[in-house]
Amino acid sequence: VLQLFKTQFGSTFEIPGIVVSYRCQNGWESKQWSGNGSFADEGVWNDFGANGKDNDNHTGNTINVNAVCADSEYTLSTAIKAVQDKEAERGLKYFKSGVVLTFKTAEKDSKGAPVWEAYQFTREITDIDPVDLKPWIPFGGGGPAVIETKDTPVAGGKEALSTGGAYKHIPTK
């Protein structure tokens, strides 16, 4: 793939951070060029996202546990364990540093729909343990945010849409 890029495009795509995705024998793979070293040197390309066969149900560092494992109800602890078991079963590595797990819980919202949760791991993957949940932090908004707004801009205002900047630009004539 790298030879093809070099032959077809020269240095056009030699941009640090570029991600190349391609189909290979084991499924789709994505690699990111660090920008250090030669573009054609495979050693300076890092795995990016979900690589290989059966890794279609997560993108980057986000794993949809219900798609990768059984479509069931999970707690954070049981979701971690389910992904670890799936790694062992398939011989694949789903967990990466900074991974985010998203999963359905047993909880239901006011309309009876399942409540989903998402957590990000904040340590190295060797520290992942379904019993130790301290390194996992809630990820994303997960619900309605309460943002105070006012319709009338106020000098030095702190609420959204009423900042001093908006106040300065009110036409006076």
Side-chain angles (χ1 to χ4, degrees), residues 39-85:
F39 188 80
D41 177 7
E42 290 184 40
V44 297
W45 287 80
N46 300 311
D47 286 339
F48 185 86
N51 283 331
K53 185 178 180 194
D54 296 325
N55 275 2
D56 300 336
N57 293 312
H58 66 289
T59 303
N61 275 4
T62 303
I63 299 172
N64 179 338
V65 179
N66 291 80
V68 172
C69 304
D71 187 16
S72 186
E73 296 167 342
Y74 294 94
T75 63
L76 176 55
S77 184
T78 60
I80 295 165
K81 179 74 171 111
V83 174
Q84 286 177 327
D85 291 347

Side-chain angles (χ1 to χ4, degrees), residues 51-172:
N51 283 331
K53 185 178 180 194
D54 296 325
N55 275 2
D56 300 336
N57 293 312
H58 66 289
T59 303
N61 275 4
T62 303
I63 299 172
N64 179 338
V65 179
N66 291 80
V68 172
C69 304
D71 187 16
S72 186
E73 296 167 342
Y74 294 94
T75 63
L76 176 55
S77 184
T78 60
I80 295 165
K81 179 74 171 111
V83 174
Q84 286 177 327
D85 291 347
K86 191 57 74 171
E87 282 185 327
E89 173 190 318
R90 291 187 175 171
L92 298 172
K93 292 291 179 199
Y94 291 105
F95 285 121
K96 297 180 180 193
S97 296
V99 69
V100 174
L101 294 183
T102 183
F103 53 89
K104 257 192 294 192
T105 68
E107 197 177 333
K108 304 289 183 209
D109 69 11
S110 62
K111 296 181 181 178
V115 172
W116 285 76
E117 291 184 358
Y119 289 86
Q120 184 171 31
F121 190 69
T122 60
R123 291 190 199 149
E124 295 301 316
I125 60 172
T126 54
D127 295 330
I128 292 178
D129 179 351
V131 176
D132 182 11
L133 303 181
K134 287 180 279 192
W136 293 88
I137 59 171
F139 185 81
V146 178
I147 301 172
E148 288 193 35
T149 62
K150 291 186 179 173
D151 292 335
T152 308
V154 177
K158 302 289 184 213
E159 293 83 11
L161 307 178
S162 69
T163 65
Y167 182 82
K168 284 194 310 191
H169 293 87
I170 296 174
T172 56

